[in-house]
Amino acid sequence: MAAGSIIDFCNVSFGFSREVPLFTGVTLTIRKGGVYLVQGPSGAGKSTFLRLINRLEEPLSGEILFKGRPLSSYPPPVLRRSILYVQQTPTVIDGSVRENLLLPFSFKNNTQFEQPTDELLKTLLVDFLLRDVGLGDNALTLSLGQLQRLCFIRGLLLSPDVLLLDEPTSALDRESGQVVESMVEQLNRESGLTVLTVTHKEPKPGLITPLLLKVAGGHIREVIWKMES
Amino acid sequence: MENGILEIGPGQLALALVFILAAGAASLYHGLKLERDLLVGTLRTFVQLFLLGFILRYIFHLNSVWPVLAVFFFMIVFATRIIRERVKEKQVSFFWPILISMVISYSLVSILVTGVVVGARPWWKPQYFIPLAGMIIGNSMNAVAISLDRLLGELRKRRQEVEMMLCLGADYQEASKDMMTTAIRAGMIPSINSMMAVGVVFIPGMMTGQILAGADPVLAIRYQIVVMIMLVGSTAIVSLLAVLLVRRRCFSSGHQLVLRPRNTGSK
């Protein structure tokens, strides 16, 4: 375990079957408080990489550590709400926006969290340019872009240590996308949140220079970012 | 009451075949291509039921608990195999979960009904135990098949939703609660519906049999009520158990949904 690391991959191999490996012998370190962009060709395993980190997938061999301990040493629900993965396809239940935002608080492993008030939820909706969305609206009537932000907010409410975002701004216009990005930056700056984002977009020059993880050919490597100016 | 039933002799049995011949002729005339199936079906009906008749007579004659339990267990294993054939699922094995849930629920219901409700002495008295157990197994077998088919289908179809909840800190039970209740409901609705329709839309086979055998219809309905209730009861228990046990197998110890979309991982 390297100093200042939060997640370590130790010689991790993965494949959906043993004959067809997706990753072989991946060793890398995610630093605490780092902001990472995960890039690579389609089908290279970017989403799978994130799913390995929150243990939705199990490596065929090797080990993944979170805060120096193997992922398997944490109860899965506790691990997953600390390493929060926001799915590529925003998924909601058939219910109101409020019910969806409060859904995580109904799970027995999350009982120590205090349920956010309507006031807080409304403020968050406004912050994310969802002023027109009411807490009582059925979530299934929202647009894809609205759902993406809703699912993002729902994840933030659990105050995770690590945030895994799978193309979080793919359906957002420029303005809404920037709101999400600046919220990520703010959380990173203020509470040291570690963020890994799968994206096809080039990052805009901002306060934080992201680190780049390239997923290709069965390997994941940290590469030096070359900002084109 | 012993003389109430009219005996069917070999000649009369043969006479009944006229209907099969007529069906065969219709099949030939209209090109339905069902002659072969009709022939095989008729032969199987004769052979299987004759065998059953002799086996039952022999078991009744033995009047011992072990052969009765052997027949009971044989029926359950056979029902499990039929369900396995019907629910086409390669990724999760469920032979043992079904067998276990069937043995538990059918033993419970069959013993309770013959021993306590009907009051047969001893509780395994073959004339009561075997037909009643057979009815329970035959009927709720469909419920198990429907429930499991639905459970696996729902979990596959709503994988995103299950994983969404897992990602937010749900355990596997919480993440699949809705799919589980949908599955159990789907399995139970047919037997609840038949409680609604019984006696109005159809006269159940067992009651028909008892009346033909000369029983008083008012006595026959009592048996039928017991049977209907025990069918619903056993259906509920067996569906619940089977769904819970199979659901457990759909998730790994790390609370990962191991059912995958059908095309990945099977190249």
Side-chain angles (χ1 to χ4, degrees), chain B residues 217-235:
Chain B
V218 177
L219 181 67
I221 59 152
R222 292 191 192 171
Y223 267 89
Q224 193 59 52
I225 289 171
V226 168
V227 166
M228 294 298 291
I229 288 170
M230 79 181 190
L231 287 184
V232 176
S234 64
T235 303

PDB file of all heavy atoms in Angstrom, chain B residues 217-235:
ATOM      1  N   PRO B 217     -72.496 -36.035  -1.830  1.00  0.00           N
ATOM      2  CA  PRO B 217     -71.870 -34.781  -2.282  1.00  0.00           C
ATOM      3  C   PRO B 217     -71.516 -33.842  -1.135  1.00  0.00           C
ATOM      4  O   PRO B 217     -70.497 -33.150  -1.206  1.00  0.00           O
ATOM      5  CB  PRO B 217     -72.932 -34.154  -3.179  1.00  0.00           C
ATOM      6  CG  PRO B 217     -73.742 -35.292  -3.665  1.00  0.00           C
ATOM      7  CD  PRO B 217     -73.732 -36.315  -2.561  1.00  0.00           C
ATOM      8  N   VAL B 218     -72.311 -33.859  -0.065  1.00  0.00           N
ATOM      9  CA  VAL B 218     -72.026 -32.937   1.036  1.00  0.00           C
ATOM     10  C   VAL B 218     -70.781 -33.368   1.814  1.00  0.00           C
ATOM     11  O   VAL B 218     -70.041 -32.542   2.324  1.00  0.00           O
ATOM     12  CB  VAL B 218     -73.261 -32.805   1.965  1.00  0.00           C
ATOM     13  CG1 VAL B 218     -72.944 -31.896   3.147  1.00  0.00           C
ATOM     14  CG2 VAL B 218     -74.438 -32.253   1.179  1.00  0.00           C
ATOM     15  N   LEU B 219     -70.522 -34.687   1.806  1.00  0.00           N
ATOM     16  CA  LEU B 219     -69.282 -35.160   2.397  1.00  0.00           C
ATOM     17  C   LEU B 219     -68.121 -34.854   1.447  1.00  0.00           C
ATOM     18  O   LEU B 219     -67.033 -34.430   1.868  1.00  0.00           O
ATOM     19  CB  LEU B 219     -69.363 -36.655   2.668  1.00  0.00           C
ATOM     20  CG  LEU B 219     -68.121 -37.275   3.320  1.00  0.00           C
ATOM     21  CD1 LEU B 219     -67.933 -36.746   4.729  1.00  0.00           C
ATOM     22  CD2 LEU B 219     -68.207 -38.794   3.320  1.00  0.00           C
ATOM     23  N   ALA B 220     -68.386 -35.055   0.174  1.00  0.00           N
ATOM     24  CA  ALA B 220     -67.342 -34.827  -0.839  1.00  0.00           C
ATOM     25  C   ALA B 220     -66.860 -33.378  -0.819  1.00  0.00           C
ATOM     26  O   ALA B 220     -65.668 -33.117  -0.971  1.00  0.00           O
ATOM     27  CB  ALA B 220     -67.856 -35.202  -2.226  1.00  0.00           C
ATOM     28  N   ILE B 221     -67.779 -32.439  -0.613  1.00  0.00           N
ATOM     29  CA  ILE B 221     -67.325 -31.043  -0.623  1.00  0.00           C
ATOM     30  C   ILE B 221     -66.406 -30.757   0.559  1.00  0.00           C
ATOM     31  O   ILE B 221     -65.481 -29.966   0.443  1.00  0.00           O
ATOM     32  CB  ILE B 221     -68.476 -30.000  -0.600  1.00  0.00           C
ATOM     33  CG1 ILE B 221     -69.341 -30.183   0.649  1.00  0.00           C
ATOM     34  CG2 ILE B 221     -69.266 -29.987  -1.882  1.00  0.00           C
ATOM     35  CD1 ILE B 221     -69.998 -28.911   1.090  1.00  0.00           C
ATOM     36  N   ARG B 222     -66.614 -31.450   1.665  1.00  0.00           N
ATOM     37  CA  ARG B 222     -65.730 -31.200   2.808  1.00  0.00           C
ATOM     38  C   ARG B 222     -64.300 -31.561   2.446  1.00  0.00           C
ATOM     39  O   ARG B 222     -63.362 -30.836   2.745  1.00  0.00           O
ATOM     40  CB  ARG B 222     -66.177 -32.003   4.016  1.00  0.00           C
ATOM     41  CG  ARG B 222     -67.492 -31.492   4.537  1.00  0.00           C
ATOM     42  CD  ARG B 222     -67.805 -32.094   5.870  1.00  0.00           C
ATOM     43  NE  ARG B 222     -69.189 -31.818   6.209  1.00  0.00           N
ATOM     44  CZ  ARG B 222     -69.815 -32.353   7.243  1.00  0.00           C
ATOM     45  NH1 ARG B 222     -69.173 -33.206   8.020  1.00  0.00           N
ATOM     46  NH2 ARG B 222     -71.063 -32.054   7.491  1.00  0.00           N
ATOM     47  N   TYR B 223     -64.171 -32.731   1.796  1.00  0.00           N
ATOM     48  CA  TYR B 223     -62.836 -33.112   1.353  1.00  0.00           C
ATOM     49  C   TYR B 223     -62.286 -32.081   0.372  1.00  0.00           C
ATOM     50  O   TYR B 223     -61.119 -31.693   0.416  1.00  0.00           O
ATOM     51  CB  TYR B 223     -62.870 -34.491   0.683  1.00  0.00           C
ATOM     52  CG  TYR B 223     -62.582 -35.597   1.672  1.00  0.00           C
ATOM     53  CD1 TYR B 223     -63.612 -36.189   2.392  1.00  0.00           C
ATOM     54  CD2 TYR B 223     -61.281 -36.019   1.886  1.00  0.00           C
ATOM     55  CE1 TYR B 223     -63.353 -37.170   3.314  1.00  0.00           C
ATOM     56  CE2 TYR B 223     -60.999 -37.006   2.808  1.00  0.00           C
ATOM     57  CZ  TYR B 223     -62.049 -37.585   3.527  1.00  0.00           C
ATOM     58  OH  TYR B 223     -61.770 -38.545   4.437  1.00  0.00           O
ATOM     59  N   GLN B 224     -63.161 -31.646  -0.496  1.00  0.00           N
ATOM     60  CA  GLN B 224     -62.698 -30.711  -1.507  1.00  0.00           C
ATOM     61  C   GLN B 224     -62.251 -29.387  -0.885  1.00  0.00           C
ATOM     62  O   GLN B 224     -61.270 -28.796  -1.305  1.00  0.00           O
ATOM     63  CB  GLN B 224     -63.800 -30.459  -2.552  1.00  0.00           C
ATOM     64  CG  GLN B 224     -63.287 -29.759  -3.786  1.00  0.00           C
ATOM     65  CD  GLN B 224     -62.196 -30.560  -4.475  1.00  0.00           C
ATOM     66  OE1 GLN B 224     -62.354 -31.741  -4.763  1.00  0.00           O
ATOM     67  NE2 GLN B 224     -61.054 -29.937  -4.711  1.00  0.00           N
ATOM     68  N   ILE B 225     -62.981 -28.957   0.131  1.00  0.00           N
ATOM     69  CA  ILE B 225     -62.585 -27.708   0.796  1.00  0.00           C
ATOM     70  C   ILE B 225     -61.215 -27.874   1.423  1.00  0.00           C
ATOM     71  O   ILE B 225     -60.328 -27.029   1.265  1.00  0.00           O
ATOM     72  CB  ILE B 225     -63.645 -27.300   1.854  1.00  0.00           C
ATOM     73  CG1 ILE B 225     -64.917 -26.840   1.149  1.00  0.00           C
ATOM     74  CG2 ILE B 225     -63.099 -26.183   2.755  1.00  0.00           C
ATOM     75  CD1 ILE B 225     -66.096 -26.622   2.083  1.00  0.00           C
ATOM     76  N   VAL B 226     -61.027 -29.002   2.092  1.00  0.00           N
ATOM     77  CA  VAL B 226     -59.724 -29.256   2.696  1.00  0.00           C
ATOM     78  C   VAL B 226     -58.641 -29.236   1.620  1.00  0.00           C
ATOM     79  O   VAL B 226     -57.579 -28.626   1.777  1.00  0.00           O
ATOM     80  CB  VAL B 226     -59.724 -30.606   3.447  1.00  0.00           C
ATOM     81  CG1 VAL B 226     -58.317 -31.010   3.831  1.00  0.00           C
ATOM     82  CG2 VAL B 226     -60.615 -30.518   4.665  1.00  0.00           C
ATOM     83  N   VAL B 227     -58.945 -29.901   0.505  1.00  0.00           N
ATOM     84  CA  VAL B 227     -57.947 -29.976  -0.567  1.00  0.00           C
ATOM     85  C   VAL B 227     -57.634 -28.579  -1.115  1.00  0.00           C
ATOM     86  O   VAL B 227     -56.475 -28.211  -1.285  1.00  0.00           O
ATOM     87  CB  VAL B 227     -58.444 -30.908  -1.692  1.00  0.00           C
ATOM     88  CG1 VAL B 227     -57.604 -30.742  -2.945  1.00  0.00           C
ATOM     89  CG2 VAL B 227     -58.374 -32.345  -1.218  1.00  0.00           C
ATOM     90  N   MET B 228     -58.660 -27.791  -1.359  1.00  0.00           N
ATOM     91  CA  MET B 228     -58.433 -26.446  -1.909  1.00  0.00           C
ATOM     92  C   MET B 228     -57.552 -25.631  -0.973  1.00  0.00           C
ATOM     93  O   MET B 228     -56.616 -24.962  -1.393  1.00  0.00           O
ATOM     94  CB  MET B 228     -59.754 -25.689  -2.090  1.00  0.00           C
ATOM     95  CG  MET B 228     -60.694 -26.255  -3.108  1.00  0.00           C
ATOM     96  SD  MET B 228     -60.049 -26.272  -4.765  1.00  0.00           S
ATOM     97  CE  MET B 228     -60.002 -24.533  -5.137  1.00  0.00           C
ATOM     98  N   ILE B 229     -57.882 -25.705   0.304  1.00  0.00           N
ATOM     99  CA  ILE B 229     -57.139 -24.900   1.270  1.00  0.00           C
ATOM    100  C   ILE B 229     -55.703 -25.384   1.389  1.00  0.00           C
ATOM    101  O   ILE B 229     -54.758 -24.610   1.412  1.00  0.00           O
ATOM    102  CB  ILE B 229     -57.864 -24.916   2.635  1.00  0.00           C
ATOM    103  CG1 ILE B 229     -59.131 -24.071   2.506  1.00  0.00           C
ATOM    104  CG2 ILE B 229     -56.973 -24.382   3.736  1.00  0.00           C
ATOM    105  CD1 ILE B 229     -60.064 -24.186   3.673  1.00  0.00           C
ATOM    106  N   MET B 230     -55.553 -26.698   1.387  1.00  0.00           N
ATOM    107  CA  MET B 230     -54.180 -27.193   1.523  1.00  0.00           C
ATOM    108  C   MET B 230     -53.380 -26.901   0.261  1.00  0.00           C
ATOM    109  O   MET B 230     -52.171 -26.695   0.314  1.00  0.00           O
ATOM    110  CB  MET B 230     -54.153 -28.676   1.881  1.00  0.00           C
ATOM    111  CG  MET B 230     -54.382 -29.589   0.718  1.00  0.00           C
ATOM    112  SD  MET B 230     -54.359 -31.306   1.255  1.00  0.00           S
ATOM    113  CE  MET B 230     -54.335 -32.117  -0.325  1.00  0.00           C
ATOM    114  N   LEU B 231     -54.049 -26.838  -0.878  1.00  0.00           N
ATOM    115  CA  LEU B 231     -53.332 -26.499  -2.105  1.00  0.00           C
ATOM    116  C   LEU B 231     -52.816 -25.070  -2.027  1.00  0.00           C
ATOM    117  O   LEU B 231     -51.666 -24.793  -2.363  1.00  0.00           O
ATOM    118  CB  LEU B 231     -54.232 -26.646  -3.335  1.00  0.00           C
ATOM    119  CG  LEU B 231     -54.552 -28.068  -3.767  1.00  0.00           C
ATOM    120  CD1 LEU B 231     -55.374 -28.055  -5.047  1.00  0.00           C
ATOM    121  CD2 LEU B 231     -53.279 -28.863  -3.963  1.00  0.00           C
ATOM    122  N   VAL B 232     -53.666 -24.167  -1.594  1.00  0.00           N
ATOM    123  CA  VAL B 232     -53.230 -22.773  -1.483  1.00  0.00           C
ATOM    124  C   VAL B 232     -52.119 -22.655  -0.446  1.00  0.00           C
ATOM    125  O   VAL B 232     -51.109 -22.004  -0.668  1.00  0.00           O
ATOM    126  CB  VAL B 232     -54.418 -21.854  -1.116  1.00  0.00           C
ATOM    127  CG1 VAL B 232     -53.946 -20.430  -0.895  1.00  0.00           C
ATOM    128  CG2 VAL B 232     -55.461 -21.884  -2.215  1.00  0.00           C
ATOM    129  N   GLY B 233     -52.298 -23.347   0.671  1.00  0.00           N
ATOM    130  CA  GLY B 233     -51.284 -23.304   1.723  1.00  0.00           C
ATOM    131  C   GLY B 233     -49.945 -23.834   1.246  1.00  0.00           C
ATOM    132  O   GLY B 233     -48.913 -23.196   1.417  1.00  0.00           O
ATOM    133  N   SER B 234     -49.986 -25.002   0.616  1.00  0.00           N
ATOM    134  CA  SER B 234     -48.706 -25.584   0.196  1.00  0.00           C
ATOM    135  C   SER B 234     -48.088 -24.756  -0.922  1.00  0.00           C
ATOM    136  O   SER B 234     -46.870 -24.611  -0.999  1.00  0.00           O
ATOM    137  CB  SER B 234     -48.904 -27.026  -0.255  1.00  0.00           C
ATOM    138  OG  SER B 234     -49.726 -27.067  -1.390  1.00  0.00           O
ATOM    139  N   THR B 235     -48.944 -24.186  -1.776  1.00  0.00           N
ATOM    140  CA  THR B 235     -48.416 -23.339  -2.845  1.00  0.00           C
ATOM    141  C   THR B 235     -47.695 -22.142  -2.250  1.00  0.00           C
ATOM    142  O   THR B 235     -46.605 -21.778  -2.695  1.00  0.00           O
ATOM    143  CB  THR B 235     -49.576 -22.849  -3.740  1.00  0.00           C
ATOM    144  OG1 THR B 235     -50.260 -23.979  -4.225  1.00  0.00           O
ATOM    145  CG2 THR B 235     -49.069 -22.039  -4.905  1.00  0.00           C
TER     146      THR B 235
END
